[in-house]
Amino acid sequence: MKFATQAIHSGYDCDEHNRALMPPIYQNSMFALHEIGENVPYRYSRLSNPTRQILENTVADLEHGAAGFAFSSGMAGIDAVWRTFLQPGDTIVAVADIYGGAYDLLVDVYQKWGVNVVFADLGNPDNLDELLKVHNVKLVWLETPSNPLLRLVDIKALAAKAKAAGALVGIDNTFATPYLQQPLDMGCDFVFHSATKYLCGHSDVLMGIVVAKTKELAQPLHDMMVHTGAIAGPMDCWLVLRGIKTLALRMNAHCQNALEIARRLEAHPAIEKVFYPGLPSHEHYELAQAQMPKGIGGVVTVYLKNDTREAANSVIKNMKLVKMASSLGGVESLVNHCYSQSHSGVPHNVKMEMGIRVGLLRFSVGIEDVDDIWNDISAALDTTL
């Protein structure tokens, strides 16, 4: 099946659920047993729930993996991978321009636990060679496109290098979604999604989803989920299942609108620089064309020429359609001030090293009419001139 068809039909057999065309919501905590030791697939919803299982199977199918796991938040999903496969004394190499919440987790929790955390610019795959010579790396953690500067890394090249050295490879695929990029086919062992964002697509769920490439890797991850209990609830799973059914349509619209907005932003006098890998001006444009041929996604980030908090706030306050919010990936257009929001916990000097200025704005371009989006953004940018 093609992706759009697979997104609607994979992971679910209506004959197994009283022929309900849409997956039912099993909003219950436990299931009846007829005798001691009865071997049934569902007993207690922390262990497994039919609605959650349908979602997990669906995303695993879309990512070409062996098994999926739905967690109560994106951070719970990332933590489950790291806690399952890292021990004190192990080394993790993570992309330097990592999501702020993931940075905080590595620095505030895993470093203090005794894990050796190395942040590295992996835009050049050769940089990983040097790290693999110096460190006995257990896990390489990628994020491409990255949040918020939309830098790309060569997934196939980095995965091959890591695997040759005996390291596992995980990747945050949130911005791309499985519609635009399938990292397990490129050599990764785990793929992570903040399902809060594009998989759900309607800004009404908190969830993280992890897909493991093999059954052998899936089993300890499953055990960690059961032991720690950070599972997604059935109602949230149902909402994400509903969202996935329109993922291909929505991502096409996000990509089309984002590319047009990025082009117009490049010509606006209030903008110093636009970060969007679909533009020829982007440092990873050629890699983007090869690695993400269907499209580049719906996020566009900019540097304002007036690199001040006041200018950024003026843009935010003067937009009527585009709202300031903490997340992204919904059908509506949003803006994030990453310095004070997504990367608020990152020290100032590290933000500067990452390129996260106070005058940086991250737009999550929605699927409204593109002229309405542009008119709102453009008028607000004019206030900074």
Side-chain angles (χ1 to χ4, degrees):
M1 292 186 289
K2 300 294 185 180
F3 186 94
T5 308
Q6 192 179 12
I8 295 172
H9 294 286
S10 69
Y12 179 65
D13 183 350
C14 66
D15 288 340
E16 297 176 357
H17 300 272
N18 299 306
R19 302 190 183 182
L21 286 175
M22 299 298 290
I25 305 169
Y26 285 83
Q27 191 66 50
N28 52 290
S29 59
M30 63 194 97
F31 303 82
L33 300 173
H34 294 317
E35 59 181 327
I36 295 174
E38 183 181 7
N39 185 19
V40 292
Y42 305 105
R43 292 174 289 161
Y44 187 59
S45 280
R46 175 167 58 84
L47 309 179
S48 189
N49 175 281
T51 311
R52 189 170 85 234
Q53 189 69 63
I54 295 166
L55 172 62
E56 292 170 338
N57 291 346
T58 297
V59 180
D61 284 348
L62 296 178
E63 285 285 13
H64 302 167
F69 304 96
F71 295 88
S72 54
S73 70
M75 292 308 302
I78 292 175
D79 178 57
V81 176
W82 294 349
R83 200 169 357 168
T84 300
F85 296 99
L86 293 173
Q87 296 293 325
D90 287 342
T91 295
I92 177 173
V93 173
V95 290
D97 52 330
I98 195 170
Y99 163 59
Y103 176 92
D104 295 341
L105 182 61
L106 285 172
V107 172
D108 294 340
V109 177
Y110 280 86
Q111 271 189 346
K112 293 179 180 178
W113 188 43
V115 172
N116 181 32
V117 178
V118 178
F119 295 105
D121 178 3
L122 299 181
N124 180 354
D126 292 341
N127 291 343
L128 183 59
D129 292 329
E130 298 305 313
L131 293 171
L132 292 171
K133 291 177 184 177
V134 176
H135 303 281
N136 182 17
V137 178
K138 182 67 176 293
L139 176 64
V140 175
W141 189 259
L142 308 177
E143 184 180 309
T144 180
S146 66
N147 181 5
L149 290 176
L150 303 166
R151 295 184 176 122
L152 270 61
V153 297
D154 188 328
I155 300 171
K156 287 184 180 179
L158 291 170
K161 292 173 182 292
K163 302 298 286 182
L168 295 168
V169 183
I171 185 169
D172 185 334
N173 200 34
T174 298
F175 276 27
T177 81
Y179 179 62
L180 301 179
Q181 183 171 269
Q182 292 166 323
L184 298 185
D185 292 345
M186 303 181 197
C188 294
D189 297 295
F190 307 99
V191 60
F192 161 79
H193 291 277
S194 174
T196 304
K197 300 173 177 65
Y198 289 109
L199 292 188
C200 173
H202 295 80
S203 303
D204 51 11
V205 163
L206 279 176
M207 188 186 297
I209 295 180
V210 177
V211 177
K213 186 172 185 177
T214 67
K215 292 181 179 179
E216 291 75 18
L217 292 170
Q219 187 59 54
L221 189 56
H222 168 268
D223 293 344
M224 181 62 73
M225 181 178 73
V226 169
H227 295 331
T228 56
I231 50 95
M235 184 65 191
D236 285 348
C237 290
W238 182 85
L239 286 168
V240 175
L241 276 166
R242 184 188 65 173
I244 287 174
K245 292 182 185 301
T246 59
L247 180 61
L249 290 171
R250 288 186 289 105
M251 290 311 297
N252 282 335
H254 283 299
C255 290
Q256 181 178 342
N257 279 358
L259 179 57
E260 180 60 25
I261 293 296
R263 287 170 175 161
R264 297 185 189 187
L265 283 167
E266 275 199 317
H268 196 283
I271 299 299
E272 176 184 329
K273 186 173 182 179
V274 177
F275 298 87
Y276 189 70
L279 295 175
S281 59
H282 193 276
E283 60 181 324
H284 300 137
Y285 174 75
E286 292 183 1
L287 176 59
Q289 299 306 301
Q291 193 162 271
M292 303 175 69
K294 287 184 180 178
I296 309 302
V299 177
V300 180
T301 298
V302 300
Y303 282 160
L304 299 176
K305 283 184 180 177
N306 186 348
D307 184 27
T308 64
R309 184 185 184 97
E310 290 73 23
N313 205 32
S314 180
V315 176
I316 291 165
K317 290 194 300 181
N318 282 284
M319 289 188 294
K320 307 302 181 187
L321 178 69
V322 182
K323 305 298 184 184
M324 182 181 182
S326 298
S327 193
L328 58 99
V331 294
E332 67 286 335
S333 293
L334 301 170
V335 65
N336 185 280
H337 183 243
C338 298
Y339 188 96
S340 65
Q341 288 187 289
S342 68
H343 289 67
S344 60
V346 178
H348 172 79
N349 64 311
V350 178
K351 289 176 186 172
M352 294 301 99
E353 292 171 2
M354 289 180 169
I356 300 175
R357 302 181 186 178
V358 70
L360 178 152
L361 294 174
R362 185 194 72 197
F363 291 98
S364 174
V365 181
I367 63 173
E368 304 97 338
D369 186 280
V370 71
D371 288 331
D372 290 331
I373 301 171
W374 173 247
N375 290 338
D376 194 48
I377 294 175
S378 179
L381 287 172
D382 289 344
T383 66
T384 68
L385 296 174

